Amino acid sequence: MNKQKLWFILLLFTAGIFMYIFVLNLNPKKNMCPCRTSTQSITPLNNTKHLLVSAYMDRRVKGWDLRIIGIFRRDSMMILHCVFCCSGNLSKRSTPASFVRHAGMDDFGFPFETMDVMCSIPEGCKATHVTLLTHSDSMEAQWQIFLPVGNQESGGTEAIEPQFNLTVCIPTLYGDYNNVLQFTQALEMYRLLGVNRVVVYNTSCGPDLDRLLRSYSQEGFVEVVPWPVDKHLTPSRGWRYLEHGPGDLHYYGQLTTLNECIYRYMDRSRYVLLHDIDEIIVPYGQNQNSLISLVSQLQQQNPNAGVFLFEMHLFPTDHVDPSAKFHLPQWEGVPGINILENIYRLYETNREAGAYKMIVQPRMVQQTSVHKVLKNFGETFKVPPDMGLVMHLRGCLITHTIPPSYNQICVSKEHMRVDTRLWGFHDKLIPSVDKALGRIGMLREQH
């Protein structure tokens, strides 16, 4: 090929590129958005060290319209700007973002923490998606990944009839957790207690538990939210940096998932229950076998309450019922703990350490921690343990504190009482657990 022909081809190629750019700039659809919408539960924010999780309309705080829940590195904060998709078109201007830290020491010393970003929406914009920019030029947002905006109808204010009465939020399964028997028993207990939905944030679990979760998801009782926080950060398996570090983030992002779940179900559930995988809130009142009935009663007695605190009581799994009454042959070989055998309960409740878990009205909560709500609009009510309490079913963690700690005391039966409250549900619980285990082929056949 001679030089003249080569130059002619290059000239045509260059002209084609300029023509494409010219047509693109004339195209009225160039402002259409979002070009890219996040389908992930964790989305890195371009040009920062921060991670975005989800966005929800929230008009409960004067001057703000929308709340973005994220995981931010505390020493890398910068000015950010909110940019919106308004009914399919990119907003012509951005608005300044405002950061709201979670009050108290809720980063537990880790460099990354849960944080809210508050945005105001430009007038005339019906926001369907949002993103953040490190500068105010909204046109640059065409290259960003947008988050869909949830709770668009209510904004946290209007009284929409919820789909569910009571939803349980369980944060951060991790470490290939495979405690199938206890998890199945807990889910079926909640079903008996009137729970309509259980939400599980899953980083990793064992193969047997994965099959169980898939079965419950197909049924519609469980929603599994993928939570690949370990793909973005080095999460800690503990809750305090000095003891459980090094790591970037507290307990696999437990605080982030608890807050995210409140907003995820703000319009869909009348009440939300917040606790860990090894806990069950159980009513203890006479003839009281329903959590929603108990909470409704407490709400009637305390109309301004939006947060109900339940004391945590340890049921050590190190000690089991010597009669073996519920050591059932069909559950042999199923990995995990049989909670019907854990009948010993500590006298000591550790209430001085603030050991409570919560049932809340999500519309009355702005921010939560693990054992208390950080910001809310209503009152908080501590539920007497003779009406309901948290059964914390786990092994003793030996410590060497003086005086002896809550965990040390649990190694000796002299500090315990017999509590067979769960036995009152056995006639319905056992068949339900058998059915769930049978669906995934883990129930031993009886001959």
Side-chain angles (χ1 to χ4, degrees), residues 157-259:
T157 57
E158 297 174 14
I160 293 176
E161 185 64 26
Q163 181 182 359
F164 306 114
N165 280 321
L166 182 58
T167 296
V168 174
C169 296
I170 298 176
T172 57
L173 284 183
Y174 63 88
D176 296 324
Y177 184 88
N178 204 44
N179 191 339
V180 174
L181 183 55
Q182 182 176 354
F183 194 82
T184 308
Q185 290 173 326
L187 289 178
E188 294 302 331
M189 267 301 302
Y190 274 127
R191 199 197 297 266
L192 292 175
L193 292 169
V195 169
N196 310 113
R197 173 65 60 89
V198 177
V199 187
V200 179
Y201 291 79
N202 185 21
T203 300
S204 67
C205 64
D208 302 315
L209 189 61
D210 183 64
R211 276 190 293 149
L212 184 76
L213 288 173
R214 290 177 186 274
S215 174
Y216 276 111
S217 297
Q218 290 169 2
E219 182 189 3
F221 186 55
V222 170
E223 178 186 5
V224 178
V225 180
W227 187 247
V229 66
D230 55 342
K231 300 295 189 294
H232 303 278
L233 302 172
T234 302
S236 169
R237 287 173 175 258
W239 64 277
R240 183 177 292 169
Y241 185 78
L242 293 178
E243 294 181 29
H244 305 107
D248 295 321
L249 182 67
H250 162 272
Y251 231 160
Y252 278 76
Q254 177 190 37
L255 295 168
T256 310
T257 58
L258 288 174
N259 282 275

Side-chain angles (χ1 to χ4, degrees), residues 405-425:
S405 74
Y406 171 62
N407 293 310
Q408 270 183 285
I409 292 173
C410 85
V411 300
S412 173
K413 283 187 182 179
E414 66 183 273
H415 298 289
M416 302 179 195
R417 71 186 79 178
V418 172
D419 185 333
T420 58
R421 176 68 179 110
L422 288 183
W423 288 8
F425 297 89

Side-chain angles (χ1 to χ4, degrees), residues 50-80:
H50 312 314
L51 303 170
L52 304 183
V53 177
S54 52
Y56 296 96
M57 295 293 272
D58 186 1
R59 291 194 166 100
R60 297 172 300 168
V61 180
K62 188 176 180 180
W64 302 109
D65 300 305
L66 185 146
R67 183 184 303 260
I68 298 173
I69 299 170
I71 300 171
F72 285 72
R73 186 172 175 98
R74 202 166 49 256
D75 62 3
S76 299
M77 301 306 295
M78 60 188 72
I79 295 174
L80 293 175

